[in-house]
Amino acid sequence: MSTPFQKASEWIDAENAQDPNIDIDQNKEYPKELLYSNRMYERLMQFDPNASEEIQIASKAQHICRWKVARESFPMDRVGYLKWREELKKFHSKTTAEILVKAGYDQTFIDRVSFLIEKKLLKKDHETQLLEDVICLVFLEYYLEPFVHKHDEEKLKNIIKKTWDKMSDKGHQEALKINYSEENLNLIKASLGL
């Protein structure tokens, strides 16, 4: 008999497995958001093995079906980008809530997962901060490298600084343990004045 958590996890994975975009990890192809979801969950469990079930689901569903809300459907400027991000949070939250209802969770649990996915009370709510730390750690470990090839140094320093500012002290300590390329480690240190 599957638990609600097992059902929800399987259904989140099944949704993310439909991503037409492909990412490669260790020479193997994966649907992009399925790989991201797995990385989020693994990093959360390394970072906080006692994480609640609510945050475990929020970590897996952080980008659920992200490809369905195209960046191009919003103006290609800063305001458009921020609107897209807000729309995504609501979309991820709603998509996840529908799965959690089907899996048999109560409304209090579902509301908490939505609260976390929408990243409410960052810096004030312990679990929202934990999720943000995990998001930043996954970005630095797996997604900084592709960014390095797309942007100039000043923009990269700005991105790293903003990422760092969102993290807790514990997140900072964990981020400095990541095995970066020498070039990226130097970039991070230069961005942060370390």
Side-chain angles (χ1 to χ4, degrees):
M1 182 85 176
S2 293
T3 64
F5 180 78
Q6 287 166 329
K7 287 183 204 166
S9 294
E10 281 169 24
W11 291 332
I12 290 165
D13 286 349
E15 288 294 328
N16 280 328
Q18 294 174 48
D19 190 349
N21 304 294
I22 298 297
D23 249 357
I24 295 173
D25 184 48
Q26 297 180 344
N27 299 320
K28 194 172 169 198
E29 290 188 348
Y30 295 89
K32 184 178 178 185
E33 294 310 342
L34 180 61
L35 181 61
Y36 180 79
S37 173
N38 290 339
R39 285 170 167 170
M40 282 289 295
Y41 181 73
E42 284 163 18
R43 172 51 85 174
L44 171 68
M45 298 319 288
Q46 284 168 9
F47 190 57
D48 186 350
N50 300 313
S52 70
E53 208 164 294
E54 290 91 338
I55 197 164
Q56 288 181 47
I57 287 173
S59 74
K60 285 188 71 65
Q62 184 62 30
H63 278 185
I64 190 166
C65 299
R66 191 182 183 96
W67 67 93
K68 293 183 180 179
V69 183
R71 170 67 185 97
E72 295 73 34
S73 58
F74 293 81
M76 296 303 283
D77 56 16
R78 178 88 183 135
V79 173
Y81 173 76
L82 294 173
K83 276 189 181 162
W84 173 64
R85 292 293 300 265
E86 274 311 302
E87 203 53 44
L88 277 172
K89 283 183 197 174
K90 290 178 197 156
F91 170 72
H92 297 321
S93 171
K94 182 174 178 287
T95 306
T96 307
E98 287 165 1
I99 288 172
L100 297 180
V101 168
K102 206 167 65 162
Y105 282 106
D106 65 28
Q107 197 57 48
T108 305
F109 186 96
I110 295 166
D111 289 347
R112 181 63 180 163
V113 173
S114 294
F115 177 97
L116 293 169
I117 288 175
E118 292 178 35
K119 295 198 276 189
K120 292 184 176 172
L121 295 182
L122 184 61
K123 298 282 186 192
K124 293 190 177 90
D125 183 276
H126 166 72
E127 287 189 317
T128 303
Q129 185 58 55
L130 173 57
L131 186 63
E132 187 64 42
D133 279 343
V134 172
I135 291 164
C136 293
L137 289 166
V138 166
F139 168 72
L140 289 168
E141 185 165 7
Y142 297 106
Y143 301 98
L144 177 62
E145 186 66 40
F147 259 76
V148 168
H149 302 297
K150 285 186 199 161
H151 301 290
D152 63 61
E153 192 171 328
E154 277 318 299
K155 178 148 190 185
L156 285 167
K157 283 182 175 177
N158 194 26
I159 289 168
I160 290 166
K161 179 104 180 57
K162 280 183 178 165
T163 301
W164 202 257
D165 288 347
K166 291 180 196 169
M167 297 170 81
S168 68
D169 290 342
K170 187 184 172 195
H172 293 156
Q173 289 163 22
E174 198 65 23
L176 292 172
K177 295 178 193 168
I178 293 170
N179 188 17
Y180 302 103
S181 68
E182 191 178 345
E183 180 188 9
N184 286 353
L185 182 60
N186 290 336
L187 177 65
I188 288 166
K189 285 181 173 175
S191 308
L192 305 172
L194 297 175

